[in-house]
């Protein structure tokens, strides 16, 4: 492994320390290296404002003169919560910058690279770019559209069933029947930790009585936002979600709210947000717009079946994460992954690309993409497109 690649791997590892702590900003790590020695390190955490390169420069001090800066994202060139980082890099006398990718923020979009090159700094881009892009795909989606990056997650049998026939009555004492193994379920907790919010439909609440929490124990800047789509407020006030509502971490989106139902849920700590509906159901597109306005950059959708279909059919899903157990459930009444009218032809079906697989004991998970959020941006080493007119940080 070349020195550049070795240092960039360390940068990506540093950036991951910002998981659940940097949002709505990107996860960024930085290293300053001089004469083969690391003289400065930095990680961006939203709460302390300073960007990763600013931390690295402060730690390096005078040793930054003539050093190489390794960073997974282009130094910013605009004034937001902090002054432009590219200017600080120039002032510090950094000789060379190795960056994994261009900033997808239209307020930057290559301008940081241009300024540093104009100042005489040698700038190299594109090293480990695929890894860097995956690390900040949620930020890219949000900063360019003000919509959260949506991952549709589901656990299912080999025949595509996500649950046995549902119970027709809410039972707060009912225990959960798991499809996948404990090892796979622990991975789900790690995925929850990486997201700003988790969303289910009220049918899942009525059948499973879930908690929808991040149980990793790892630090978060803000609680995992638990989002429920419940068009007519059928949420039972004694369900576990309502009973554990804290610090505004439970939001229920509805289209019609009877006063007494709304009051009971709000008294218990839930936030109720009324949005427009489509054919009597809460419009998921309107929900995503509201979540984006709340600076929710990433959303994990965990069903149920009808919500899964609503998200897929409206092209609102960016990535799928399907956990399969070696079981065959069968039965006409067992719950399918996506319960809806379906497409008329196979050629119309949503296509999943860039597929990868991972094993968890006897189970396996499939990850794939329905949308490339970087499609109109180009590579870090390529020409910069004209950014769309979108709000900035």
């Amino acid at each position: 492994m070349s020195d550049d690649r070795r240092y960039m791997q360390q940068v990506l590892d540093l950036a991951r320390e910002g998981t659940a702590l940097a949002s709505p900003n990107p996860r960024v790590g930085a290293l300053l290296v001089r004469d083969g020695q690391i003289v400065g390190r930095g990680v961006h955490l939203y709460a302390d404002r300073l960007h990763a390169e600013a931390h690295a420069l402060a730690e390096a001090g005078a040793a930054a003169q003539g050093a190489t800066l390794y960073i997974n994202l282009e130094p910013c060139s605009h004034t937001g919560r902090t002054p432009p980082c590219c200017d600080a890099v120039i002032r510090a006398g950094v000789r060379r910058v190795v960056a994994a990718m261009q900033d997808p923020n239209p307020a930057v979009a290559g301008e940081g690279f241009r300024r540093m090159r104009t100042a005489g700094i040698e700038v190299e881009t594109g090293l480990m770019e695929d890894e860097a892009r995956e690390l900040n795909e949620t930020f890219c989606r949000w900063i360019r559209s003000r919509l959260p990056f949506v991952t549709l997650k589901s656990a299912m049998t080999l025949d595509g069933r996500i649950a046995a026939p549902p119970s027709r009555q809410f039972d707060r004492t009912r225990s959960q029947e798991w499809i996948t193994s404990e090892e796979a379920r622990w991975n789900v907790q790690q995925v929850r930790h990486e997201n700003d919010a988790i969303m289910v439909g009220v049918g899942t609440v009525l059948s499973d009585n879930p908690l929808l929490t991040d149980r990793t124990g790892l630090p978060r800047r803000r609680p995992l936002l638990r989002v429920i789509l419940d068009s007519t407020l059928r949420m039972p006030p004694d369900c576990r979600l309502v009973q554990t509502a804290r610090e505004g971490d439970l939001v229920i989106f509805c289209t019609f709210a009877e006063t007494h139902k709304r009051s009971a849920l709000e008294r218990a700590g839930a936030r109720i947000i009324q949005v427009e509906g489509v054919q009597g159901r809460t419009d998921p597109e309107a929900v995503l717009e509201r979540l984006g306005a709340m600076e929710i950059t990433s959303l994990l959708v965990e069903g149920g079946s009808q919500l899964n279909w609503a998200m897929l059919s409206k092209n609102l899903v960016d990535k799928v994460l399907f956990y399969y157990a070696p079981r065959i459930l069968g039965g006409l009444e067992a719950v399918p992954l996506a319960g809806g009218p379906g497409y008329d032809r196979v050629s119309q079906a949503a296509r999943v690309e860039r597929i990868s697989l991972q094993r968890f004991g006897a189970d396996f998970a499939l990850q794939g993409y329905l949308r490339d959020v970087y499609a109109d941006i180009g590579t870090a080493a390529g020409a910069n497109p004209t950014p769309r007119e979108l709000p900035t940080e």
Side-chain angles (χ1 to χ4, degrees):
M1 179 183 290
S2 70
D3 286 345
D4 283 351
R5 191 172 186 85
R6 177 165 55 86
Y7 289 131
M8 186 60 73
Q9 183 60 64
Q10 292 182 53
V11 162
L12 291 168
D13 292 341
L14 280 171
R16 291 187 183 94
E17 295 180 12
T19 298
L21 298 171
S23 178
N25 283 355
R27 290 181 283 179
V28 184
L31 283 180
L32 278 165
V33 178
R34 180 174 172 178
D35 299 328
Q37 299 294 318
I38 296 174
V39 295
R41 293 177 177 83
V43 177
H44 174 61
L45 306 178
Y46 188 86
D48 69 6
R49 289 181 177 264
L50 289 180
H51 291 185
E53 51 270 60
H55 279 296
L57 290 169
E59 182 177 307
Q65 180 81 32
T68 295
L69 170 66
Y70 293 90
I71 191 163
N72 61 298
L73 190 70
E74 173 186 4
C76 66
S77 57
H78 68 297
T79 299
R81 299 168 76 226
T82 63
C85 287
C86 66
D87 293 349
V89 172
I90 293 168
R91 287 194 303 271
V94 170
R95 178 184 63 82
R96 177 174 174 249
V97 171
V98 179
M101 62 176 284
Q102 175 181 297
D103 194 328
N105 185 349
V108 184
E111 177 62 17
F113 291 153
R114 188 195 66 78
R115 284 197 202 177
M116 291 187 295
R117 286 185 174 119
T118 300
I121 297 175
E122 178 186 350
V123 177
E124 300 174 21
T125 63
L127 179 63
M128 302 183 71
E129 184 171 21
D130 288 345
E131 294 92 331
R133 284 186 165 205
E134 183 174 2
L135 184 65
N136 277 313
E137 61 194 7
T138 58
F139 171 74
C140 176
R141 176 65 167 154
W142 180 75
I143 199 64
R144 295 180 68 84
S145 69
R146 280 306 194 262
L147 296 173
F149 182 96
V150 175
T151 300
L152 176 62
K153 169 263 166 185
S154 188
M156 68 187 90
T157 59
L158 292 178
D159 55 341
R161 303 297 182 169
I162 63 174
S167 170
R168 302 190 184 281
Q169 186 173 8
F170 173 75
D171 179 1
R172 64 187 176 90
T173 66
R174 180 183 175 189
S175 61
Q176 175 73 53
E177 278 194 317
W178 302 109
I179 290 178
T180 52
S181 65
E182 185 175 348
E183 187 177 358
R185 297 199 303 274
W186 175 245
N187 183 254
V188 171
Q189 292 300 319
Q190 294 172 304
V191 173
R192 286 183 179 182
H193 180 68
E194 294 172 0
N195 281 267
D196 292 339
I198 182 172
M199 184 168 78
V200 302
V202 68
T204 296
V205 178
L206 296 176
S207 64
D208 294 345
N209 194 19
L211 278 171
L212 304 180
T213 51
D214 171 4
R215 294 190 280 278
T216 62
L218 298 171
R220 303 185 64 96
R221 186 179 73 85
R222 42 186 181 174
L224 178 67
L225 185 68
R226 301 179 291 174
V227 180
I228 313 300
L229 268 58
D230 183 5
S231 56
T232 58
L233 290 188
R234 293 190 290 150
M235 283 274 289
D238 64 343
C239 73
R240 296 201 295 171
L241 279 166
V242 176
Q243 292 298 307
T244 58
R246 300 288 187 277
E247 302 178 38
D249 71 342
L250 176 62
V251 177
I252 304 172
F253 285 92
C254 66
T255 56
F256 176 76
E258 292 183 2
T259 302
H260 71 283
K261 289 184 177 179
R262 180 172 189 145
S263 297
L265 291 167
E266 288 180 332
R267 283 197 302 271
R271 283 190 288 166
I272 311 298
I273 300 178
Q274 199 162 344
V275 297
E276 61 267 29
V278 176
Q279 296 180 337
R281 295 184 178 276
T282 304
D283 182 4
E285 292 182 87
V287 170
L288 292 189
E289 290 176 1
R290 294 296 292 269
L291 291 175
M294 295 161 62
E295 297 189 335
I296 297 299
T297 67
S298 53
L299 173 67
L300 183 64
V301 176
E302 292 203 3
S305 182
Q306 292 183 347
L307 176 58
N308 290 347
W309 173 248
M311 299 295 291
L312 288 166
S313 63
K314 290 179 175 290
N315 192 30
L316 302 177
V317 177
D318 299 293
K319 181 166 73 174
V320 295
L321 182 57
F322 295 155
Y323 295 82
Y324 288 92
R327 302 170 184 265
I328 297 174
L329 187 59
L332 294 177
E333 293 187 359
V335 182
L337 166 68
Y343 296 107
D344 295 331
R345 302 173 64 88
V346 173
S347 59
Q348 296 174 318
R351 185 172 182 83
V352 181
E353 300 181 334
R354 294 161 53 204
I355 290 173
S356 60
L357 299 174
Q358 187 173 358
R359 290 294 298 267
F360 298 99
D363 302 336
F364 69 93
L366 178 151
Q367 175 181 285
Y369 290 83
L370 281 79
R371 177 183 291 108
D372 181 0
V373 296
Y374 293 101
D376 62 343
I377 298 176
T379 63
N384 300 324
T386 302
R388 290 175 286 164
E389 291 298 323
L390 294 172
T392 60
E393 286 181 290

